[in-house]
Amino acid sequence: MSNLKLAAKITHVPSMFISEQPGPNFGCRSAAIEGLKEIGRRCDALGVDTIVVFDTHWLVNTAYHINSRARYKGIYTSNEFPHFIQNLEYDYRGAPELGDDIARRAAEKGVRMLSHHVDTLEVEYGTLVPMRYINADGRFRVLSIAAWCPWHEMEDSAKIGASVREAIEAGNANVAILASGSLSHRIHDNNEAVAGIHTISDEFYKQVDLRVLDLWKHGQNKEFVSMLPLYSKVCHGEGFMHNTAMLFGALGWDGYAGKAEILTDYFTSSGTGQVNAVFPLAA
Ligand SMILES: [Fe+2]
């Protein structure tokens, strides 16, 4: 039986916080929040104890990196969106052994990946925001992998995903993997940002995103991974969508035959396209 219990592409939009607060946008992201909470419930039902997050807010300019702190604990304010995410307290157990094994296996594939045990290496909000809804009580260990990779090859990110899968299968943890980030990610121009909190920045991006979701729903994953490099560029994929390359690398890349289940319908947020989608695993 596989130790990989759940795989998903998820949203982490900060407007989920706004959705929780009284005001004109109260409840606006309730479907997204509910989708994340449902992932948490499924993790419970599947006996998951560890969540690996491919985080498109952790920028790395060279090599691949894993935050293998034994414990993630701190108070987070986003330097990108300090008006949206302030003083978010977090405290999660890490998964250092799994992190080390992933890096070792990536190195065996010729991909430079470093596993860090540095208590001041902070966690980004691509990990922290979804954990707030999936893992509010810290019952799952967390392992954050950098996935904002501007100068990296998609093939290498697929190998990272494959290394994650191998390490999971070789270990004794029950694991969920989450590709945290949007579909298209062309945020609105600054002067349109406030009024555009619920809209896409260009219809083109939305139509391509919807086509991608059709491919996922129909299991046309070979077509999807072949379009992923150009899609990530033309539609400004978040972190260039290396999180998604890692996810599909773990699933089997173009050999993966699963048909995605859409947990939260496609929605547009601050110019970008978002979804919560679960990718079924072979029994
Ligand atoms: Fe983001």
Side-chain angles (χ1 to χ4, degrees), residues 12 56-57 125 185 238:
H12 59 232
T56 51
H57 280 261
Y125 90 69
H185 195 253
E238 186 163 23

Side-chain angles (χ1 to χ4, degrees), residues 11-14 55-57 80-81 125-126 180-182 185 187 238-239 272 274:
T11 187
H12 59 232
V13 286
D55 186 333
T56 51
H57 280 261
E80 287 174 68
F81 289 115
Y125 90 69
S180 175
S182 71
H185 195 253
I187 291 175
E238 186 163 23
T272 71
Q274 304 285 334

